[in-house]
């Protein structure tokens, strides 16, 4: 099988099929895992992928234990009429990490683009590489962020949960630091249904705005930030331990349909910051 590997900017790896019969299953998982560890994000484009949800989750199971939700293994990300949560709305989604409100935090996120929106309709998935963000920032800012702990509370269809996490923490499996941060909603970014409650301790009241601004600037800096424009059939595998992710808003009624599966690390990583979970 032939495929071409190239770098995405500023991070990530793109693997493109070179003929129409190339199947995603034919690429060895060990090769992909190595690229994943090196670049934190893999885009597979142009391959024959998955006929349905079940087929998709079966593929992901080859990578490790799939995280189980009340709805099953596969989340369909499609705009819902009268959505009760921003995830199912057409709004932007602030940066966060998956599983932050759940007992276990997945290492891998798999996205399969069943149907891409037209490019002019928005809806890119956003990724901030926090390893790069910490490498590209001064020690003074790092020292400032190190003092802060985020306390997040969120109630939605699948949980009601409270979690506390230092802004800078050690990567659960590897010997470097990452940022864990749920970006507060800013009204100038548009509406957001069912916003979580956020508090940040360890920073003086008069310095809170500056704290968020500095973090925001670093996370969205072009050196550290990648926004993925979907094409039909794209598969993206993202490192949920090192990246934060979100979404840009998209035109209501556009055809955007993604499927998402989360895969746990081996052994599974228990959420260290979970205070309450219902
Ligand atoms: Fe997410």
């Amino acid at each position: 099988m032939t495929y071409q590997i190239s770098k995405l900017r500023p991070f990530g790896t793109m693997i493109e099929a070179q003929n129409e019969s190339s199947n995603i299953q034919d690429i060895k998982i060990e090769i992909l895992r190595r690229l994943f560890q090196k670049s934190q994000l893999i885009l597979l484009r142009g391959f024959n992928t998955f006929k349905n949800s079940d087929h998709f989750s079966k593929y992901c199971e080859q990578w490790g234990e799939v995280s189980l939700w009340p709805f099953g293994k596969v989340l369909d990300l499609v705009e819902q009429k009268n959505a009760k949560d921003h995830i199912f709305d057409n709004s932007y989604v602030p940066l966060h990490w998956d599983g932050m409100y759940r007992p276990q935090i997945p290492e891998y996120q798999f996205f399969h683009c069943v149907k891409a929106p037209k490019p002019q309709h928005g809806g890119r998935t956003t990724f901030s590489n926090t390893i790069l963000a910490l490498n590209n920032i001064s020690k003074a800012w790092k020292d400032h962020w190190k003092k802060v702990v985020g306390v997040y509370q969120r109630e939605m269809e699948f949980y009601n949960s409270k979690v506390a996490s230092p802004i800078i923490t050690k990567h659960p499996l590897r010997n470097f630091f990452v940022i864990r941060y749920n970006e507060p909603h800013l009204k100038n970014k548009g509406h957001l249904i069912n916003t979580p409650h956020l508090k940040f301790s360890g920073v003086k009241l008069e310095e809170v705005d500056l704290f968020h601004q500095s973090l925001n600037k670093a996370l969205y800096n072009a050196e550290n930030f990648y926004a993925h424009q979907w094409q039909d059939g794209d598969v993206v595998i993202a490192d949920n331990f090192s990246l934060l992710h979100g979404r840009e808003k998209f035109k209501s009624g556009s055809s955007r349909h993604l499927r998402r599966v989360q895969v746990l690390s081996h052994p599974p990583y228990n959420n260290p910051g979970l205070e309450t979970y219902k």
Side-chain angles (χ1 to χ4, degrees):
M1 191 185 63
T2 55
Y3 50 79
Q4 199 169 353
I5 300 182
S6 57
K7 277 188 176 170
L8 293 170
R9 298 281 168 210
F11 63 92
T13 302
M14 175 158 70
I15 307 177
E16 285 177 289
Q18 293 301 291
N19 60 58
E20 282 176 10
S21 61
S22 299
N23 195 299
I24 198 164
Q25 302 272 4
D26 299 336
I27 313 173
K28 284 203 177 96
I29 305 270
E30 305 90 85
I31 293 176
L32 293 175
R33 228 189 272 272
R34 228 173 295 138
L35 290 168
F36 171 90
Q37 279 182 12
K38 242 167 71 179
S39 66
Q40 286 77 50
L41 184 141
I42 298 174
L43 163 62
L44 295 144
R45 178 165 278 173
F47 289 92
N48 292 312
T49 52
F50 316 110
K51 288 190 282 283
N52 51 44
S53 291
D54 199 39
H55 193 192
F56 178 35
S57 65
K58 288 253 157 52
Y59 172 77
C60 299
E61 275 163 9
Q62 295 174 58
W63 284 72
E65 184 186 345
V66 168
S67 193
L68 202 57
W69 285 77
F71 53 79
K73 294 174 180 171
V74 183
L75 179 68
D76 276 285
L77 293 160
V78 194
E79 183 188 8
Q80 295 175 0
K81 273 200 178 128
N82 308 315
K84 292 186 180 68
D85 192 84
H86 52 269
I87 295 295
F88 301 114
D89 194 15
N90 68 320
S91 66
Y92 91 109
V93 173
L95 291 173
H96 64 283
W97 70 101
D98 268 7
M100 62 180 286
Y101 294 107
R102 300 245 301 156
Q104 291 175 326
I105 300 176
E107 180 177 12
Y108 305 90
Q109 293 180 290
F110 287 77
F111 296 97
H112 177 222
C113 180
V114 179
K115 189 75 197 149
K118 291 198 173 88
Q120 66 271 27
H121 289 173
R124 295 189 301 178
T125 299
T126 56
F127 297 96
S128 180
N129 186 324
T130 73
I131 307 166
L132 294 177
L134 289 172
N135 284 345
N136 291 331
I137 200 78
S138 69
K139 186 178 176 303
W141 277 119
K142 249 185 278 190
D143 288 343
H144 183 61
W145 298 341
K146 244 184 228 168
K147 291 184 268 179
V148 184
V149 174
V151 181
Y152 311 98
Q153 192 162 11
R154 173 155 154 79
E155 183 173 3
M156 55 98 72
E157 193 182 344
F158 306 121
Y159 52 73
N160 179 2
S161 161
K162 190 178 175 192
V163 64
S165 175
I167 295 298
I168 300 185
T169 63
K170 197 89 178 283
H171 184 287
L173 305 173
R174 300 169 72 190
N175 198 24
F176 52 75
F177 288 89
V178 293
I179 296 171
R180 301 291 82 183
Y181 176 61
N182 183 188
E183 177 192 6
H185 169 50
L186 296 175
K187 293 219 165 53
N188 64 5
K189 287 204 166 187
H191 73 287
L192 197 74
I193 299 171
N194 195 27
T195 37
H197 300 283
L198 316 181
K199 262 197 258 170
F200 294 86
S201 62
V203 57
K204 289 183 200 139
L205 203 58
E206 62 271 25
E207 289 178 356
V208 167
D209 285 350
L210 189 63
F211 161 74
H212 289 299
Q213 279 162 20
S214 64
L215 210 42
N216 214 274
K217 202 172 155 199
L219 293 171
Y220 283 96
N221 189 306
E223 288 180 299
N224 314 322
F225 180 80
Y226 170 71
H228 184 65
Q229 176 92 60
W230 293 101
Q231 290 186 14
D232 292 355
D234 276 357
V235 172
V236 166
I237 309 169
D239 176 356
N240 185 52
F241 285 164
S242 307
L243 309 181
L244 296 170
H245 66 279
R247 176 182 75 203
E248 293 176 350
K249 68 177 177 211
F250 57 97
K251 189 173 185 267
S252 182
S254 75
S255 53
R256 191 179 193 273
H257 181 186
L258 303 181
R259 288 190 176 129
R260 189 210 65 194
V261 168
Q262 300 169 332
V263 171
L264 302 174
S265 53
H266 184 70
Y269 179 50
N270 292 327
N271 190 345
L274 199 62
E275 291 184 355
T276 58
Y277 179 75
K278 277 179 255 171

